[in-house]
Amino acid sequence: MPPSDLDRIAAIDDPYRLLRVATERLNAAQQEVTELARLRRRVIQELHAQGMSYAQIAEKAGLSRGRIHQIRHTGPAPEGAFLGTGMVTVVTPLRHDAETGRSMVALDDMRSGKRLEDLARSFGLNVATDNVTVDGRIDLNRDGLLVICGPRMSDAMRAAYDIDPVIRWDRDDKGWMLIDTRTQQVFRSGTQTDPRQPTDSAFLGRLPRPDGNGSFLAIAGIRPNGSLGVVHFLTNEIATLWGQVDDKRFSCVVAVEYDPATGEPVRAELASPLYRHEET
């Protein structure tokens, strides 16, 4: 019988390497337990939605009805997989601070990133952070990326958005805008209107990685208020989004209204259809 992971780790002579390897394996095991718990809960919900009673599910699975009810109400919610599984990385852009000459994360970007981190953690996901560099560099060929960055801040992100088959970024003398190429509807920021309005439009979608080996979630408002509004939208509607697009590629425009005094979103809703890319 081949040795188990535990046997192999226990056989390590170097105590420091043993500590490191044991910690890494424990972290991996904890992530696996979380995802298995999410998967169980998802299967029960799907079977029940298909018309099976919890008693029938319990009988077919060889579990008690009480155990099925316990699984249904414990563990991370299945819709958390909309953001990813295991480990996700929230990416926000760095900006150049002319006063200090240093790179910094703007307060609005920081708020959006922090709330997206909190949302991911609420679903039992492990969260890391990263930044788009001041000159726009970002490695998009990684698993579990949640990127808050528009085309203006990064050529890499602009190239990723250009691949989207429906929602297109463009700009004119008023500034950046989003265009639904199916309906030709144009979405702008309220700062571009006369009189100015405390509103914004934002992109939300799952786009292909440049290397073709997966996808990443992209969020970008025309103004930073839009990005914050998308996170607000996700917080309230993630279960609905998960039910409609699962982990597949999609894109849409989110309309955001915010408090002009604080910049906090007060309303966020779909402004365009939710386009599944496999259907376009």
CSV table of all heavy atoms in Angstrom, one decimal, residues 26-32 34-35 38 83-90 117 120-129 143-144 146:
chain,number,residue,atom,x,y,z
A,26,LEU,N,-2.2,21.3,5.4
A,26,LEU,CA,-3.4,21.5,6.2
A,26,LEU,C,-4.3,22.6,5.5
A,26,LEU,O,-5.5,22.5,5.5
A,26,LEU,CB,-3.0,22.0,7.6
A,26,LEU,CG,-4.1,22.3,8.6
A,26,LEU,CD1,-5.0,21.0,8.8
A,26,LEU,CD2,-3.6,22.7,9.9
A,27,ASN,N,-3.6,23.7,5.0
A,27,ASN,CA,-4.3,24.7,4.3
A,27,ASN,C,-5.1,24.2,3.1
A,27,ASN,O,-6.2,24.5,2.8
A,27,ASN,CB,-3.4,25.8,3.9
A,27,ASN,CG,-2.9,26.7,5.0
A,27,ASN,OD1,-3.5,26.7,6.1
A,27,ASN,ND2,-1.7,27.3,4.8
A,28,ALA,N,-4.4,23.3,2.3
A,28,ALA,CA,-5.0,22.7,1.2
A,28,ALA,C,-6.2,21.8,1.6
A,28,ALA,O,-7.3,21.8,0.9
A,28,ALA,CB,-4.0,21.9,0.4
A,29,ALA,N,-6.0,21.1,2.7
A,29,ALA,CA,-7.1,20.2,3.1
A,29,ALA,C,-8.3,21.0,3.6
A,29,ALA,O,-9.5,20.7,3.3
A,29,ALA,CB,-6.6,19.3,4.3
A,30,GLN,N,-8.1,22.2,4.2
A,30,GLN,CA,-9.2,23.0,4.7
A,30,GLN,C,-9.9,23.6,3.5
A,30,GLN,O,-11.2,23.7,3.5
A,30,GLN,CB,-8.6,24.1,5.6
A,30,GLN,CG,-8.2,23.6,7.0
A,30,GLN,CD,-7.4,24.7,7.8
A,30,GLN,OE1,-6.9,25.7,7.2
A,30,GLN,NE2,-7.4,24.5,9.1
A,31,GLN,N,-9.2,24.0,2.5
A,31,GLN,CA,-9.9,24.5,1.3
A,31,GLN,C,-10.7,23.4,0.6
A,31,GLN,O,-11.8,23.6,0.2
A,31,GLN,CB,-8.8,25.0,0.2
A,31,GLN,CG,-8.2,26.3,0.6
A,31,GLN,CD,-7.2,26.8,-0.4
A,31,GLN,OE1,-7.3,26.4,-1.6
A,31,GLN,NE2,-6.4,27.7,-0.1
A,32,GLU,N,-10.2,22.2,0.6
A,32,GLU,CA,-10.9,21.0,0.0
A,32,GLU,C,-12.2,20.7,0.8
A,32,GLU,O,-13.2,20.5,0.2
A,32,GLU,CB,-10.0,19.8,0.0
A,32,GLU,CG,-10.6,18.6,-0.8
A,32,GLU,CD,-9.6,17.5,-0.9
A,32,GLU,OE1,-8.4,17.8,-1.1
A,32,GLU,OE2,-10.1,16.3,-0.8
A,34,THR,N,-13.9,22.9,2.5
A,34,THR,CA,-14.9,23.9,2.3
A,34,THR,C,-15.6,23.7,0.9
A,34,THR,O,-16.8,23.9,0.8
A,34,THR,CB,-14.1,25.3,2.2
A,34,THR,OG1,-13.6,25.6,3.5
A,34,THR,CG2,-15.1,26.4,1.9
A,35,GLU,N,-14.8,23.4,-0.1
A,35,GLU,CA,-15.4,23.2,-1.4
A,35,GLU,C,-16.3,21.9,-1.5
A,35,GLU,O,-17.3,21.9,-2.2
A,35,GLU,CB,-14.3,23.1,-2.5
A,35,GLU,CG,-13.6,24.4,-2.7
A,35,GLU,CD,-14.5,25.6,-2.9
A,35,GLU,OE1,-15.5,25.5,-3.6
A,35,GLU,OE2,-14.2,26.7,-2.3
A,38,ARG,N,-19.5,23.0,0.1
A,38,ARG,CA,-20.3,23.8,-0.9
A,38,ARG,C,-20.9,22.9,-1.9
A,38,ARG,O,-22.1,23.1,-2.3
A,38,ARG,CB,-19.3,24.8,-1.5
A,38,ARG,CG,-20.1,25.9,-2.3
A,38,ARG,CD,-19.2,26.7,-3.2
A,38,ARG,NE,-17.9,27.1,-2.5
A,38,ARG,CZ,-17.9,28.2,-1.7
A,38,ARG,NH1,-18.9,28.9,-1.5
A,38,ARG,NH2,-16.7,28.5,-1.2
A,83,LEU,N,-17.8,33.7,-7.5
A,83,LEU,CA,-16.5,34.4,-7.3
A,83,LEU,C,-15.3,33.5,-7.5
A,83,LEU,O,-14.2,34.0,-7.9
A,83,LEU,CB,-16.4,35.0,-6.0
A,83,LEU,CG,-17.5,36.1,-5.6
A,83,LEU,CD1,-17.4,36.5,-4.2
A,83,LEU,CD2,-17.5,37.2,-6.6
A,84,GLY,N,-15.4,32.2,-7.3
A,84,GLY,CA,-14.3,31.3,-7.5
A,84,GLY,C,-14.4,30.2,-6.5
A,84,GLY,O,-15.3,30.1,-5.7
A,85,THR,N,-13.4,29.4,-6.4
A,85,THR,CA,-13.3,28.3,-5.5
A,85,THR,C,-11.9,28.3,-4.8
A,85,THR,O,-10.9,28.7,-5.5
A,85,THR,CB,-13.5,26.9,-6.1
A,85,THR,OG1,-12.6,26.7,-7.2
A,85,THR,CG2,-14.9,26.8,-6.7
A,86,GLY,N,-11.8,27.9,-3.6
A,86,GLY,CA,-10.5,27.8,-2.9
A,86,GLY,C,-10.0,29.2,-2.6
A,86,GLY,O,-10.4,29.8,-1.7
A,87,MET,N,-9.0,29.6,-3.4
A,87,MET,CA,-8.3,30.9,-3.2
A,87,MET,C,-8.7,31.8,-4.4
A,87,MET,O,-8.7,31.4,-5.5
A,87,MET,CB,-6.8,30.6,-3.2
A,87,MET,CG,-6.0,31.9,-3.3
A,87,MET,SD,-6.0,32.9,-1.8
A,87,MET,CE,-5.0,31.9,-0.7
A,88,VAL,N,-9.1,33.0,-4.0
A,88,VAL,CA,-9.3,34.1,-5.0
A,88,VAL,C,-8.3,35.3,-4.7
A,88,VAL,O,-7.9,35.4,-3.6
A,88,VAL,CB,-10.7,34.6,-5.1
A,88,VAL,CG1,-11.7,33.4,-5.4
A,88,VAL,CG2,-11.2,35.2,-3.7
A,89,THR,N,-8.1,36.0,-5.8
A,89,THR,CA,-7.2,37.2,-5.6
A,89,THR,C,-7.9,38.4,-6.1
A,89,THR,O,-8.3,38.5,-7.3
A,89,THR,CB,-5.9,37.0,-6.4
A,89,THR,OG1,-5.2,35.8,-6.0
A,89,THR,CG2,-5.0,38.2,-6.2
A,90,VAL,N,-8.1,39.4,-5.2
A,90,VAL,CA,-8.8,40.7,-5.5
A,90,VAL,C,-7.7,41.6,-6.0
A,90,VAL,O,-6.7,41.9,-5.3
A,90,VAL,CB,-9.5,41.2,-4.3
A,90,VAL,CG1,-10.1,42.6,-4.7
A,90,VAL,CG2,-10.7,40.3,-3.9
A,117,GLU,N,-13.4,41.7,-1.1
A,117,GLU,CA,-12.7,40.7,-0.2
A,117,GLU,C,-13.6,40.2,0.8
A,117,GLU,O,-13.7,39.0,1.1
A,117,GLU,CB,-11.5,41.4,0.5
A,117,GLU,CG,-10.3,41.8,-0.5
A,117,GLU,CD,-9.3,42.6,0.3
A,117,GLU,OE1,-9.0,42.2,1.5
A,117,GLU,OE2,-8.7,43.5,-0.3
A,120,ALA,N,-16.1,37.8,-0.6
A,120,ALA,CA,-15.5,36.4,-0.9
A,120,ALA,C,-15.3,35.6,0.4
A,120,ALA,O,-15.6,34.4,0.4
A,120,ALA,CB,-14.2,36.6,-1.6
A,121,ARG,N,-14.8,36.3,1.4
A,121,ARG,CA,-14.6,35.6,2.7
A,121,ARG,C,-15.9,35.1,3.3
A,121,ARG,O,-15.9,34.1,4.0
A,121,ARG,CB,-13.9,36.5,3.7
A,121,ARG,CG,-12.4,36.8,3.3
A,121,ARG,CD,-11.6,37.4,4.4
A,121,ARG,NE,-10.2,37.6,4.1
A,121,ARG,CZ,-9.8,38.8,3.6
A,121,ARG,NH1,-10.6,39.8,3.5
A,121,ARG,NH2,-8.5,38.9,3.3
A,122,SER,N,-17.0,35.8,3.1
A,122,SER,CA,-18.3,35.4,3.6
A,122,SER,C,-18.8,34.1,3.1
A,122,SER,O,-19.6,33.4,3.6
A,122,SER,CB,-19.4,36.5,3.4
A,122,SER,OG,-19.8,36.5,2.1
A,123,PHE,N,-18.2,33.7,1.9
A,123,PHE,CA,-18.5,32.4,1.3
A,123,PHE,C,-17.5,31.4,1.6
A,123,PHE,O,-17.4,30.3,0.9
A,123,PHE,CB,-18.7,32.6,-0.2
A,123,PHE,CG,-20.0,33.4,-0.6
A,123,PHE,CD1,-19.9,34.6,-1.1
A,123,PHE,CD2,-21.2,32.8,-0.4
A,123,PHE,CE1,-21.0,35.4,-1.4
A,123,PHE,CE2,-22.4,33.5,-0.7
A,123,PHE,CZ,-22.3,34.8,-1.2
A,124,GLY,N,-16.6,31.6,2.5
A,124,GLY,CA,-15.6,30.6,2.9
A,124,GLY,C,-14.4,30.6,2.0
A,124,GLY,O,-13.6,29.6,2.0
A,125,LEU,N,-14.2,31.6,1.1
A,125,LEU,CA,-13.1,31.6,0.2
A,125,LEU,C,-11.9,32.2,0.9
A,125,LEU,O,-12.0,33.1,1.7
A,125,LEU,CB,-13.4,32.4,-1.1
A,125,LEU,CG,-14.6,31.8,-1.9
A,125,LEU,CD1,-15.0,32.9,-3.0
A,125,LEU,CD2,-14.2,30.5,-2.6
A,126,ASN,N,-10.7,31.7,0.6
A,126,ASN,CA,-9.5,32.3,1.0
A,126,ASN,C,-9.1,33.5,0.0
A,126,ASN,O,-9.3,33.3,-1.2
A,126,ASN,CB,-8.3,31.3,1.0
A,126,ASN,CG,-8.5,30.3,2.1
A,126,ASN,OD1,-9.0,30.6,3.2
A,126,ASN,ND2,-8.1,29.0,1.8
A,127,VAL,N,-8.7,34.6,0.6
A,127,VAL,CA,-8.5,35.8,-0.3
A,127,VAL,C,-7.1,36.3,-0.2
A,127,VAL,O,-6.6,36.5,0.9
A,127,VAL,CB,-9.5,36.9,0.2
A,127,VAL,CG1,-9.4,38.1,-0.7
A,127,VAL,CG2,-11.0,36.4,0.1
A,128,ALA,N,-6.5,36.6,-1.3
A,128,ALA,CA,-5.3,37.3,-1.5
A,128,ALA,C,-5.5,38.6,-2.2
A,128,ALA,O,-6.6,38.8,-2.8
A,128,ALA,CB,-4.2,36.5,-2.2
A,129,THR,N,-4.6,39.5,-2.2
A,129,THR,CA,-4.7,40.8,-2.9
A,129,THR,C,-3.5,41.0,-3.8
A,129,THR,O,-2.4,40.5,-3.6
A,129,THR,CB,-4.9,42.0,-1.9
A,129,THR,OG1,-3.7,42.0,-1.1
A,129,THR,CG2,-6.1,41.8,-1.0
A,143,ASP,N,-5.4,31.6,-11.8
A,143,ASP,CA,-6.7,31.2,-11.4
A,143,ASP,C,-7.3,32.2,-10.3
A,143,ASP,O,-6.5,32.7,-9.5
A,143,ASP,CB,-6.6,29.8,-10.7
A,143,ASP,CG,-6.3,28.7,-11.8
A,143,ASP,OD1,-6.6,29.0,-13.0
A,143,ASP,OD2,-5.7,27.7,-11.4
A,144,GLY,N,-8.6,32.3,-10.3
A,144,GLY,CA,-9.3,33.0,-9.2
A,144,GLY,C,-9.1,34.5,-9.1
A,144,GLY,O,-9.2,35.0,-8.1
A,146,LEU,N,-10.2,38.3,-9.4
A,146,LEU,CA,-11.3,39.2,-9.4
A,146,LEU,C,-10.7,40.6,-9.6
A,146,LEU,O,-10.2,41.2,-8.6
A,146,LEU,CB,-12.1,39.1,-8.0
A,146,LEU,CG,-12.4,37.7,-7.5
A,146,LEU,CD1,-13.0,37.8,-6.1
A,146,LEU,CD2,-13.3,37.0,-8.5
